[in-house]
Amino acid sequence: GMAKAFGYAEVTVQPQVWQKSFGMIPPKELKGETGKKTKTLRKAWLKGKSLELARAKFPEWEKKIVNDGISDSILLGKYWIETNKEPT
C-alpha cells in the first residue's frame, strides 16, 4: 500500500488490539435474539464509540470526522504512534 510506497514497513494490527487499547469493548449485555443480531449490535456500538472517541481526542477535526472509517483510521494512527514511541 501507501506505506510501502513511501518506504515504511507494513504493519498489521488486529482491530481488537487497537480498539481494546482505547477501551472500546462492547458491553456483555449487548445481545440480540441471534448470534448474527448480536454481532450487528456490537459492530454498530463499535462504530459509534469510534466516532465518539476520535472526535473527543481531536476536537479540531470534529467536522471532518464524518464516518467510522475516518475515525478508525485516526485512532489506528494514534495507537501506532503511542505504541511506537522512542523511550525517553
Side-chain angles (χ1 to χ4, degrees), residues 12-68:
T12 302
V13 180
Q14 294 296 317
Q16 296 86 348
V17 172
W18 68 263
Q19 290 169 346
K20 186 177 179 183
S21 77
F22 290 110
M24 293 174 58
I25 302 167
K28 295 276 186 207
E29 59 273 2
L30 191 63
K31 294 190 184 227
E33 296 171 7
T34 64
K36 187 175 180 179
K37 287 184 180 182
T38 296
K39 186 175 180 179
T40 301
L41 286 171
R42 288 177 179 243
K43 281 186 167 191
W45 185 91
L46 285 167
K47 287 179 180 191
K49 193 67 166 172
S50 175
L51 284 164
E52 175 187 319
L53 283 172
R55 288 173 177 156
K57 290 186 180 294
F58 300 94
E60 67 276 16
W61 298 345
E62 185 174 2
K63 291 182 180 176
K64 294 182 185 220
I65 303 172
V66 295
N67 62 51
D68 62 285

Side-chain angles (χ1 to χ4, degrees), residues 68-83:
D68 62 285
I70 293 170
S71 60
D72 284 356
S73 298
I74 290 169
L75 293 173
L76 182 55
K78 182 161 179 57
Y79 167 81
W80 189 89
I81 289 168
E82 289 178 354
T83 58

